[in-house]
Amino acid sequence: MNKTTLLARIVQTLEDDVEVLRRAAQTAYETATAEENIAENKYDTLGLEASYLATGQARRTAEIRQALLTYQQLIMRDYDPARGIQISNLVTLEDEQGHQRMLFLGPQGAGLKIGEGEQVVTVITPRSPLGQLLIGKRVDDEVSLQVAGVAQVSIVIDVV
């Protein structure tokens, strides 16, 4: 998957997520403000719970909108071996068993999975432990990450 296509798919995924969350927040708001959900006693908390849910969903929508704006303005840079891995690089790692995975080092949107089958790209950020390790690395460098007390070692085999 090339980076231009990847960026377009990240933007589309974020746009879809914003719309889904917007509708969910609207539904929660309507539930929170519905006349039939006015508390009849101190134990009747449906309206209050819906209000908390609407607030959380509105906050999450704002976060995704910010990520969307960031990706819409992202300048894709080619890999520069002198600088090593930076934001907007597409990285392929291979573990000790020979399994490969593709990661896109993005400014936001950690955890997004773009693609299907063996062409899945996972978005990570420099704030993640793996993202921190990858910044400045080059092809053939090794990265070792402790997960649940076990070292997971991978080799950078390709960077675009």
Side-chain angles (χ1 to χ4, degrees):
M1 179 178 307
N2 71 46
K3 291 194 319 183
T4 304
T5 302
L6 177 62
L7 180 60
R9 291 189 63 188
I10 289 171
V11 167
Q12 183 61 55
T13 300
L14 291 171
E15 286 173 343
D16 294 346
D17 288 352
V18 163
E19 182 56 25
V20 167
L21 277 171
R22 186 199 61 74
R23 285 192 309 251
Q26 181 64 34
T27 300
Y29 172 77
E30 289 168 2
T31 301
T33 58
E35 192 171 314
E36 67 267 11
N37 291 331
I38 294 174
E40 295 176 4
N41 60 51
K42 68 180 181 178
Y43 301 108
D44 190 0
T45 61
L46 181 62
L48 181 61
E49 291 168 7
S51 173
Y52 289 152
L53 179 60
T55 300
Q57 288 173 327
R59 210 175 278 136
R60 180 69 182 132
T61 301
E63 290 171 1
I64 293 175
R65 277 195 178 117
Q66 180 59 49
L68 176 59
L69 181 62
T70 301
Y71 276 102
Q72 288 171 332
Q73 298 174 350
L74 182 65
I75 297 170
M76 300 293 268
R77 303 197 190 289
D78 290 331
Y79 171 66
D80 178 1
R83 294 185 63 210
I85 296 171
Q86 301 294 315
I87 287 179
S88 84
N89 286 154
L90 181 59
V91 180
T92 304
L93 297 179
E94 184 174 271
D95 66 17
E96 294 168 317
Q97 290 77 34
H99 299 111
Q100 294 182 3
R101 64 181 169 155
M102 294 177 69
L103 306 169
F104 179 74
L105 190 60
Q108 294 188 20
L112 282 178
K113 293 195 184 303
I114 307 296
E116 310 160 350
E118 293 187 26
Q119 275 291 340
V120 173
V121 177
T122 303
V123 177
I124 64 171
T125 68
R127 293 180 300 279
S128 70
L130 183 56
Q132 290 173 11
L133 290 173
L134 286 174
I135 293 289
K137 295 289 186 190
R138 294 168 178 77
V139 174
D140 294 329
D141 281 356
E142 184 177 282
V143 290
S144 178
L145 183 64
Q146 290 287 104
V147 177
V150 177
Q152 292 184 349
V153 179
S154 296
I155 304 290
V156 177
I157 61 169
D158 189 36
V159 183
V160 179

